[in-house]
Amino acid sequence: MATRRLLPILGGAGSAALASWSLWRPDTASADAANTGRELSVDNVPSRTEQYQRLMASKMENPFDVLVIGGGATGAGCAFDAQTRGLNTALIEREDFASGTSSRSTKLVHGGVRYLEKAVFNLDYGQLKLVYEALHERDRLLSNASHLAHPLPILTPCYNWWEVPYYWAGMKMYDLVAGTSTLVPSKFLTSLETLTYLPTMSKNMGGKSLKGSLACSSAAAGATVMNYTECKQLIKDDKGKVIGARCRDRATGAETDVYARVLINATGAFADDVRRYSEPDAQQTVMASSGAHVTLPDFYGSARTGMIIPKTKDGRVIFMLPFQGHVIAGTTDTPIKATSRPRSSEEDIDFILATLSDFLDVRVSRGDVLSTWCGIRPLPAPKKNTTTENVVRDHVIFEDKDGLLNVTGGKWTTYRAMAEQAIDMAMATGKLPKSAKPCQTASFKLLGATNYTYTLMAEIAQQHGMPQRYYGKNSNKERNNGGTSSVAMDTEIAHHLSTAYGDNAMRVIAMAEEEGLGKRLIAGHPILEAEVMYTAQHEYCMTIEDFIDRRSRLAFLDVKATEAALPRIAEIMGNTLGWNDKQRTSAVTAAVKHLQENFTSGPLVHPGPEAPAHPILAPEPMKPAATVAAA
């Protein structure tokens, strides 16, 4: 097979790339929303017991202003937006916060180069609007959660002469749409320059980024947020309008009726299931598409640069990105039945690995895959004969005849704008207090970002440990710096704590020292034992799965290491939450099953939208969901 090389006129044989930047300018990092006097503190996050008492206090004559069903990025964003406007807000999530699509994304905040291409060639204003909105929301997100999101250059490899002007023009249009929100402008790189960014990129071609920060921020702002609380029934008044929901606390089995002036359905791929509680024959408004990913060792890529393959053999897009000391690659775009437990298929995994092999100079081995996972994208139901990759990723907000307000579609990057528009529409119904403020979230920093600075990692390493070049990656030695520290700190841990917790990192370190939990949870990963206790106490972490999936991301990074850490996680979490020996053993068993069913490839295990039973939670009574009349 002939080998394709870049034409000599463009810098000699080999690979070249167009570099674009996926996140925001460092010079805007110091912009501080706290100058408005609004600061969130983890001290203001109520306990889960207190939150349930608030739910129980809801009465028909004294309802919440807004009740949000669904605790992913969109639902939590709606709760945060509503509460910061001064509306009394509640949110319920049947599993853990962000347990669905929001935790299984490609971890990338971007405008969508593919959507821009479709906007140009299909003369599609909807696609252009989506790119514009996403690029400007990127700026806001990175200012409001600066500890969680960081700039990342993305390379687009070019192996044909025509690809250079084609992609160059596309990237420049991307910069133009971004306007003042652009990062470092995109530019052409020679083969040598490309390899300094990503050394593993193939020189010849033979053939062709929330944990629970958002939900906790809503709670700190005063909202009542509850994970593992399921909407079992919708409550209607005598006019057939939805005025509340019967909720079941899956931790205790207790049920309570929660009333609100406006109910918002933000359940993503399961939005139509909630709508059908009220109207069994409701028309489909959401379709599901799967996005498979793999995690590989860091040597496959670069710690500071990603790559986008905009045109694969079947037209789909593949990203390869650095993520927490590893490389993640994805994603596919395949129609799928909505399920709470999707799995990556062997076909999708083989497709991702084969595509990477075409663009890298190292052999991509199936044996190097550390973890696989799959997310479900909630797309607006398309016209007939439309494939999922051609469905516009824009969101849709609409009100059913029973008054239920629905937020569907959209993309992770635009969650804040979706929430703002949803609450604006809720205000337009006339059901909410007119005294509510306009949207506040465009410049409202999330928990951890208020006092975060880019020197925090250095400050932590300087005050609490020695650089790893002295102590080694997995050293448990202590440093005597005017006293003895029980935290086995090195620069890798300092970086992890500062970027995961922001200005709350010092709280984690203090807990580690006070409780003797300063060791790494498992060798090879910078996660401290203290993080298990901290997240259980301050971030509504209730199960082992909550910790390994959505508080530490360990399951997404390395399944074998995660399984080895389970007994210690169960011990610490059990001590914190009061588990007995039987509960600890059951929790470990459930977590092992969870890893096998969610982070290895294979057929779907849970084909329906049900919330699976868990040994730490109360058993589910046999009672169908429905709509009931108000008492």
Side-chain angles (χ1 to χ4, degrees):
M1 183 177 293
T3 298
R4 296 185 181 180
R5 293 176 178 269
L6 195 63
L7 293 180
I9 192 172
L10 296 175
S15 67
L18 294 171
S20 63
W21 287 73
S22 179
L23 297 181
W24 122 106
R25 299 184 304 272
D27 62 323
T28 65
S30 60
D32 188 1
N35 59 18
T36 62
R38 304 166 304 174
E39 293 188 8
L40 301 179
S41 171
V42 71
D43 294 328
N44 295 330
V45 177
S47 69
R48 194 173 182 280
T49 300
E50 292 174 303
Q51 296 285 45
Y52 188 71
Q53 290 172 347
R54 292 183 183 182
L55 281 184
M56 291 180 64
S58 167
K59 304 298 180 185
M60 191 186 305
E61 61 275 11
N62 183 33
F64 284 100
D65 292 323
V66 176
L67 172 61
V68 182
I69 304 172
T74 303
C78 287
F80 190 53
D81 188 291
Q83 187 65 39
T84 53
R85 295 191 195 208
L87 298 170
N88 187 17
T89 305
L91 176 148
I92 57 172
E93 162 59 45
R94 72 176 179 184
E95 296 190 49
D96 189 26
F97 301 121
S99 58
T101 303
S102 298
S103 64
R104 295 168 178 264
S105 71
T106 312
K107 325 301 178 196
L108 190 65
V109 178
H110 67 120
V113 175
R114 177 177 60 172
Y115 312 142
L116 182 60
E117 181 184 40
K118 292 182 183 297
V120 173
F121 287 101
N122 299 338
L123 299 178
D124 191 333
Y125 174 75
Q127 299 276 13
L128 180 63
K129 175 176 174 289
L130 176 62
V131 175
Y132 178 86
E133 186 175 56
L135 286 171
H136 287 76
E137 282 303 307
R138 178 184 65 178
D139 225 18
R140 293 191 175 104
L141 178 60
L142 292 164
S143 176
N144 296 341
S146 52
H147 59 304
L148 298 176
H150 307 276
L152 180 71
I154 303 290
L155 300 177
T156 303
C158 303
Y159 293 95
N160 293 295
W161 67 267
W162 59 266
E163 290 178 319
V164 175
Y166 179 82
Y167 289 130
W168 182 86
M171 294 299 185
K172 286 303 176 184
M173 186 174 294
Y174 197 69
D175 294 342
L176 180 65
V177 174
T180 58
S181 297
T182 194
L183 309 179
V184 178
S186 56
K187 63 179 180 179
F188 173 78
L189 300 178
T190 65
S191 302
L192 182 60
E193 289 173 321
T194 298
L195 295 177
T196 62
Y197 278 90
L198 187 60
T200 57
M201 183 178 287
S202 177
K203 292 173 281 296
N204 300 302
M205 272 290 278
K208 211 18 222 170
S209 153
L210 225 22
K211 0 189 325 160
S213 294
L214 189 54
C216 287
S217 295
S218 301
T224 301
V225 301
M226 289 281 292
N227 57 351
Y228 293 104
T229 302
E230 189 171 8
C231 171
K232 300 298 295 181
Q233 299 171 318
L234 295 177
I235 304 172
K236 291 185 176 182
D237 62 15
D238 55 6
K239 297 179 181 179
K241 300 296 184 181
V242 173
I243 59 171
R246 180 160 296 170
C247 304
R248 178 178 180 270
D249 179 2
R250 294 180 59 208
T252 64
E255 293 190 0
T256 187
D257 290 343
V258 181
Y259 293 90
R261 293 183 172 88
V262 173
L263 271 72
I264 297 178
N265 175 17
T267 53
F270 306 108
D272 288 332
D273 295 297
V274 174
R275 295 176 62 237
R276 287 168 185 150
Y277 287 176
S278 175
E279 186 180 348
D281 297 325
Q283 184 178 1
Q284 180 184 1
T285 61
V286 181
M287 68 176 296
S289 172
S290 69
H293 301 78
V294 301
T295 303
L296 297 165
D298 58 356
F299 61 75
Y300 276 102
S302 164
R304 297 183 179 180
T305 305
M307 176 174 66
I308 178 177
I309 304 170
K311 289 288 186 182
T312 59
K313 295 175 181 177
D314 63 0
R316 291 181 288 183
V317 174
I318 293 290
F319 284 98
M320 187 180 80
L321 306 169
F323 182 66
Q324 297 193 4
H326 297 72
V327 170
I328 61 173
T331 179
T332 57
D333 204 331
T334 309
I336 191 175
K337 177 180 173 60
T339 170
S340 59
R341 291 296 182 268
R343 295 179 77 178
S344 301
S345 68
E346 282 294 339
E347 181 181 5
D348 282 341
I349 300 306
D350 289 343
F351 171 77
I352 294 171
L353 298 182
T355 302
L356 290 181
S357 295
D358 287 341
F359 287 83
L360 298 180
D361 254 352
V362 293
R363 185 177 64 88
V364 183
S365 170
R366 182 65 173 84
D368 285 337
V369 174
L370 300 173
S371 180
T372 72
W373 77 92
C374 180
I376 301 292
R377 296 187 184 95
L379 305 178
K383 299 177 182 179
K384 292 183 178 180
N385 302 320
T386 300
T387 58
T388 56
E389 63 265 25
N390 289 321
V391 176
V392 179
R393 263 54 175 179
D394 203 359
H395 54 274
V396 178
I397 304 172
F398 64 95
E399 186 178 20
D400 283 325
K401 62 183 181 181
D402 61 6
L404 182 67
L405 192 64
N406 303 276
V407 187
T408 64
K411 59 200 297 283
W412 196 90
T413 305
T414 58
Y415 85 88
R416 193 212 63 82
M418 293 168 63
E420 177 182 355
Q421 293 166 27
I423 303 305
D424 283 346
M425 185 174 287
M427 291 295 300
T429 65
K431 301 175 185 177
L432 299 176
K434 295 182 179 180
S435 59
K437 304 173 185 176
C439 178
Q440 305 288 300
T441 58
S443 60
F444 207 133
K445 291 184 180 292
L446 301 183
L447 274 176
T450 300
N451 298 305
Y452 173 78
T453 67
Y454 289 95
T455 62
L456 180 59
M457 184 197 82
E459 293 169 9
I460 292 174
Q462 183 181 56
Q463 296 174 24
H464 297 276
M466 289 290 283
Q468 65 181 31
R469 65 176 178 270
Y470 294 122
Y471 281 171
K473 187 174 181 180
N474 296 312
S475 174
N476 287 325
K477 293 183 181 180
E478 298 174 349
R479 177 189 181 189
N480 189 341
N481 183 19
T484 300
S485 172
S486 62
V487 180
M489 188 66 66
D490 57 36
T491 52
E492 185 182 26
I493 294 175
H495 178 266
H496 160 67
L497 293 177
S498 62
T499 55
Y501 298 94
D503 57 26
N504 287 315
M506 294 301 185
R507 293 175 178 265
V508 179
I509 295 172
M511 180 176 286
E513 293 179 336
E514 293 168 4
E515 303 294 337
L517 297 173
K519 295 180 180 180
R520 289 177 183 247
L521 185 62
I522 191 71
H525 295 271
I527 302 161
L528 295 183
E529 293 179 336
E531 294 180 57
V532 180
M533 177 179 286
Y534 179 87
T535 56
Q537 288 187 354
H538 300 294
E539 294 185 353
Y540 302 118
C541 182
M542 295 182 63
T543 69
I544 293 178
E545 294 89 328
D546 294 347
F547 182 79
I548 62 178
D549 286 17
R550 294 168 291 276
R551 304 304 188 278
S552 69
R553 293 304 200 177
L554 191 57
F556 287 83
L557 301 175
D558 191 333
V559 171
K560 291 183 178 179
T562 304
E563 189 168 350
L566 295 181
R568 182 58 175 154
I569 297 173
E571 180 181 2
I572 300 171
M573 188 171 287
N575 291 340
T576 306
L577 299 178
W579 295 348
N580 57 37
D581 291 342
K582 182 179 180 180
Q583 286 176 309
R584 296 183 199 202
T585 301
S586 298
V588 171
T589 301
V592 171
K593 181 180 179 182
H594 169 78
L595 289 173
Q596 295 171 346
E597 293 180 349
N598 292 273
F599 294 96
T600 58
S601 57
L604 295 177
V605 177
H606 300 290
E610 73 285 348
H614 193 283
I616 300 301
L617 306 178
E620 175 73 15
M622 297 299 294
K623 185 165 55 178
T627 304
V628 296

